[in-house]
Amino acid sequence: MTKQTHDVDHELIEAATHIARTRCRGDNHTMAAAARARDGRIVTAVNAYHFTGGPCAELVLLGAAAAQGAYELDTIVAVGDRDRGVVPPCGRCRQVLLDYFPSLRVIVGGGERLRTVAIAELLPESYVWAEHQLDAEEAERLGTS
């Protein structure tokens, strides 16, 4: 597996850090995420913690991006409140991000180790949902449409 490291989008980290500092309050909102759409826009969101699980900031961001018409995301980062810095996505978020945006880049690490990697690098030997779906022609041929 070839590791591809891309330039770190510091503006994206600053946007997520600003949201974490100004919008994350108490135990319900402890993480912020920021993503750059392919058209250059930055979309931000915070998590919605709940004892039943609640969505992570990265998943809330997917809905916020869609609501703003940003359907092509290029890079994403999550930042913790209380100046915790960049936090890597959890396993569930990694899988969802891979399924929605297979070419997405994710900022991970901290300090001198801050880097941008392909989402697929965070899930080696992963299950890619789109690769296991029948296309319309194949579904019709098999009589499953």
Side-chain angles (χ1 to χ4, degrees):
M1 181 180 315
T2 304
K3 297 267 186 208
Q4 284 192 320
T5 302
H6 303 276
D7 291 332
V8 174
D9 188 334
H10 291 283
E11 184 182 20
L12 209 54
I13 296 169
E14 290 170 14
T17 300
H18 174 73
I19 295 300
R21 285 185 180 144
T22 61
R23 301 293 187 254
C24 291
R25 299 204 172 122
D27 293 335
N28 294 330
H29 309 291
T30 58
M31 294 291 297
R36 185 174 301 283
R38 292 253 163 85
D39 65 9
R41 284 184 287 166
I42 292 178
V43 179
T44 60
V46 298
N47 70 318
Y49 176 79
H50 190 263
F51 72 89
T52 61
C56 297
E58 297 94 330
L59 299 185
V60 174
L61 187 135
L62 295 182
Q68 295 175 37
Y71 298 108
E72 301 282 333
L73 299 182
D74 182 59
T75 306
I76 192 168
V77 66
V79 171
D81 67 347
R82 299 180 308 268
D83 294 320
R84 289 183 288 146
V86 173
V87 177
C90 73
R92 176 179 64 171
C93 287
R94 291 174 190 211
Q95 184 66 54
V96 173
L97 292 170
L98 176 68
D99 289 339
Y100 271 67
F101 304 104
S103 63
L104 184 70
R105 296 177 307 190
V106 183
I107 300 171
V108 296
E112 303 264 330
R113 296 191 57 232
L114 198 62
R115 65 200 182 283
T116 304
V117 299
I119 185 66
E121 295 290 329
L122 297 178
L123 280 171
E125 303 298 325
S126 62
Y127 173 87
V128 180
W129 183 80
E131 293 175 0
H132 299 277
Q133 303 310 302
L134 299 176
D135 62 26
E137 186 177 298
E138 189 176 11
E140 185 176 321
R141 182 178 62 77
L142 296 173
T144 60
S145 60

